[in-house]
């Protein structure tokens, strides 16, 4: 299993955290999602077919454009 972390500056509230966890959790291959509102960091544990690129693309699609750390 691999792990990737992103900085998500558009994450502002508990609803944002919930949305990110729910949406990423439905992506094939994603095993776990942690989102920290204070640091605005999202950590994702994944395996194929998910990839850092597919995770970042989904964050972009749901209006939480990420910056890879």
């Amino acid at each position: 299993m691999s792990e990737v972390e992103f900085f998500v500056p558009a994450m502002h509230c508990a609803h944002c955290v919930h949305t990110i966890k729910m949406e990423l959790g439905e992506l094939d291959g994603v095993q776990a999602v942690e989102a920290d509102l204070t640091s605005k960091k999202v950590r994702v544990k994944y395996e194929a077919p998910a990839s850092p690129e597919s995770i970042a693309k989904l964050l972009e699609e749901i209006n939480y454009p990420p910056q890879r750390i």
Side-chain angles (χ1 to χ4, degrees):
M1 188 175 331
S2 299
E3 187 174 293
V4 65
E5 190 172 78
F6 295 97
F7 176 66
V8 183
M11 187 168 48
H12 296 293
C13 65
H15 181 264
C16 297
V17 170
H18 174 75
T19 300
I20 289 169
K21 289 172 104 174
M22 185 182 68
E23 293 286 342
L24 290 181
E26 293 178 2
L27 190 63
D28 284 343
V30 169
Q31 304 298 310
V33 180
E34 297 172 21
D36 182 69
L37 187 56
T38 304
S39 66
K40 297 186 184 246
K41 290 182 182 176
V42 175
R43 180 177 293 136
V44 182
K45 293 182 181 178
Y46 67 93
E47 52 192 38
S51 67
E53 294 77 19
S54 66
I55 294 165
K57 182 179 176 191
L58 180 56
L59 283 168
E60 188 87 36
E61 288 172 5
I62 62 171
N63 296 316
Y64 293 101
Q67 298 172 4
R68 191 154 176 196
I69 297 175

